Amino acid sequence: MEQQNTRLRNAGFATFFFSGICAISAGVVVSLLQERYGFAYGMTGTLLSLMSVGNLLAGLLMGMLPSALGMKRSVLLLTIGYAVGYAVMGLTGAVALLAAAFFVVGIAKGSVINTCTILVSDHSADRTRGMNLMHSCYACGALLCPFLIAAAARVSTELAVFLLAAMGLLLWLVYVFTPLRGGRSKSSAEKEAIDWSFLRSARFWLLTGLLFFQNAAEQSVNGWMVTYFKGSGIIAGTLAAYTVTVMWGATLVGRLLIAFVFPLKNPRKAMVGMSVLCTVFYVLLVMAHTQGAAILLLFAFAISMSGLNPTAVASAGRMTSVTSMGIMLPVASSGAILMPWVIGMVAERVGLAAGMASNIVPCVGLVVFTLLVAKLPEE
C-alpha cells in the first residue's frame, strides 16, 4: 500500500513539473505570437483569458466525466490538450485556431491541477508539505520554460512551440502508465454517498474566494509581465523573457522553504502576511523604472505569493475530494479569466502601464480574504 501511495504521489509530482513548463510557457508564447502576427493588446488578453476559460471548464469536466468514462479515460482525454494546443500554435496563425489552441491548453492545465491535487493530497503523510512540494515541481518546470523556448526559438518560433507540444505529450504518457482509478468503477451506492456538505461551509467559500484573487493576480503577472517589460522598455526584449525564470525561481525557493525549513505553525496567519507583502511589492513593481529594481521587486513579489495557493488548498483539510476540488478550483480559476482580459482592455484604451496597475485590485482582494480566513474558528 505504501509503495502504491508513493507511486501515485510521484506521478502527481512528475506531471505537475511538465505542466509547469507547458502552462507558464503560454505567457512567453503569446508574446512571441503578438510580435509575429501584430496582435493588439486586447487580442493578447483574450487569448490568455480563453486559456483560463478552458482551465475553469476542465475542473467541471473532471467532476462529471469520471462517472461516465472512468477516471483514467477522463484524465487522458482532457490532458492531451497541451500536446494538441501547442501543435496547432506551431502550424497556423489563424486567430480562430489560435483561440481554440489556447482554450484546449487551458483544459489540459485545469485537468492536471485537479488530478495532481487529488493524487498528492490523498497519498501524502503531510498534506501541507506535499502540496508545497507539488507546487515546487510546477515552479521547477516554470523555471526551465524560458531556456527551452529561447534555445528552440534560435532555430524558429515553430520549433519552440512544437517542443512544448512534445513536453505535453510526455505528461500525457505519464498518465498512460499510472494506475488511476475512480469514477465509473464505483458502485451506485458509492456515487450516492458523495458528501456535498462542503457547499454549506463558510471555510470552503472563503478559501475559494482567496484562490480566486490569487489566481487573478498570479495569472496576470505570468501572462503580461514579459509583454509589459518589453513594451515599457524597462528590460530589453530578449532578456524580458527570462523574467519568468526570476519569478519562478523565487516561487521555488519560497515553497521549498515552507516545506523543509520554515514549516507554517499557523498557516492562516501566514497567508495574511504573504498577501500583504505581495500587494506591497506589486505596487512597487509597477512603479519601478530600472532593470535592477524591476527584477528585484519581481523576485520579492513572487516569493511572497509562493506559498498562498498550496497552503490555501491544504487548508481545505477533510473537505478535499474530487467533487469539492471540481468546484473550488474552477470557480477560483475564473479570476484568471477575468484579470488578463481586463488588463488587455485597459492597456488598449489607456496604456500598458495603466493595465498592469489595475492588477492591484486582486492583490487587495487577496488581503481581504486571507484576513477573513484567519478569523475562522479552528476545525
Side-chain angles (χ1 to χ4, degrees):
M1 185 64 179
E2 181 62 30
Q3 185 177 6
Q4 180 78 342
N5 283 340
T6 301
R7 181 179 179 184
L8 291 170
R9 184 197 63 200
N10 289 345
F13 289 160
T15 51
F16 220 43
F17 167 77
F18 287 120
S19 187
I21 295 175
C22 295
I24 300 306
S25 293
V28 180
V29 169
V30 79
S31 179
L32 294 174
L33 294 175
Q34 183 190 40
E35 289 182 349
R36 178 163 186 173
Y37 299 113
F39 294 146
Y41 288 134
M43 175 55 67
T44 302
T46 298
L47 291 175
L48 290 171
S49 291
L50 282 170
M51 178 176 165
S52 296
V53 170
N55 184 27
L56 183 151
L57 179 62
L60 300 175
L61 291 174
M62 282 301 298
M64 297 184 295
L65 282 183
S67 62
L69 303 177
M71 185 67 173
K72 185 156 187 171
R73 288 182 180 177
S74 300
V75 170
L76 293 179
L77 174 65
L78 297 176
T79 57
I80 195 63
Y82 275 139
V84 172
Y86 280 119
V88 170
M89 291 180 208
L91 291 171
T92 180
V95 171
L97 291 176
L98 287 176
F102 273 87
F103 178 73
V104 297
V105 164
I107 287 181
K109 177 185 176 183
S111 303
V112 173
I113 290 173
N114 191 294
T115 304
C116 290
T117 297
I118 299 303
L119 287 175
V120 174
S121 65
D122 285 357
H123 301 96
S124 296
D126 184 328
R127 293 168 57 86
T128 300
R129 173 176 289 184
M131 292 304 295
N132 274 283
L133 280 175
M134 184 185 89
H135 283 265
S136 295
C137 292
Y138 188 87
C140 284
L143 271 170
L144 287 176
C145 79
F147 297 101
L148 293 173
I149 293 174
R154 290 181 179 178
V155 178
S156 68
T157 299
E158 289 81 1
L159 179 61
V161 181
F162 286 139
L163 179 61
L164 293 174
M167 294 294 104
L169 184 60
L170 285 175
L171 179 153
W172 187 79
L173 288 172
V174 173
Y175 284 135
V176 167
F177 295 105
T178 299
L180 301 172
R181 296 185 178 88
R184 194 174 58 176
S185 63
K186 294 182 179 180
S187 67
S188 297
E190 288 176 314
K191 291 177 185 175
E192 292 173 1
I194 294 175
D195 184 5
W196 294 95
S197 62
F198 64 87
L199 292 174
R200 299 189 298 273
S201 169
R203 182 185 303 275
F204 175 83
W205 291 112
L206 287 175
L207 287 171
T208 301
L210 188 162
L211 288 170
F212 172 90
F213 287 112
Q214 186 272 330
N215 277 313
E218 184 178 70
Q219 180 63 24
S220 296
V221 173
N222 285 337
W224 277 104
M225 195 53 71
V226 174
T227 301
Y228 171 65
F229 283 149
K230 284 183 178 179
S232 63
I234 294 173
I235 299 179
T238 305
L239 183 59
Y242 290 96
T243 57
V244 174
T245 300
V246 173
M247 182 174 179
W248 286 98
T251 300
L252 176 61
V253 169
R255 288 171 178 169
L256 290 176
L257 286 174
I258 292 172
F260 293 110
V261 183
F262 303 114
L264 303 179
K265 294 181 179 179
N266 190 324
R268 293 182 301 169
K269 288 184 178 179
M271 287 192 293
V272 175
M274 294 176 200
S275 64
V276 170
L277 284 174
C278 75
T279 301
V280 170
F281 287 130
Y282 187 79
V283 171
L284 295 174
L285 176 62
V286 295
M287 294 172 62
H289 297 293
T290 65
Q291 179 174 297
I295 290 175
L296 182 62
L297 289 166
L298 181 62
F299 185 93
F301 168 80
I303 201 169
S304 298
M305 185 174 277
S306 61
L308 275 168
N309 189 293
T311 304
V313 173
S315 296
R318 55 187 172 82
M319 291 187 293
T320 304
S321 66
V322 173
T323 306
S324 64
M325 290 299 102
I327 293 176
M328 176 185 279
L329 297 179
V331 173
S333 69
S334 62
I337 298 171
L338 180 64
M339 270 320 291
W341 178 81
V342 168
I343 289 176
M345 292 298 101
V346 174
E348 196 165 292
R349 289 167 172 75
V350 184
L352 187 53
M356 292 304 296
S358 66
N359 200 44
I360 191 62
V361 175
C363 291
V364 173
L366 193 54
V367 173
V368 172
F369 270 82
T370 52
L371 286 168
L372 291 173
V373 169
K375 290 182 180 180
L376 291 172
E378 296 289 343
E379 284 188 311

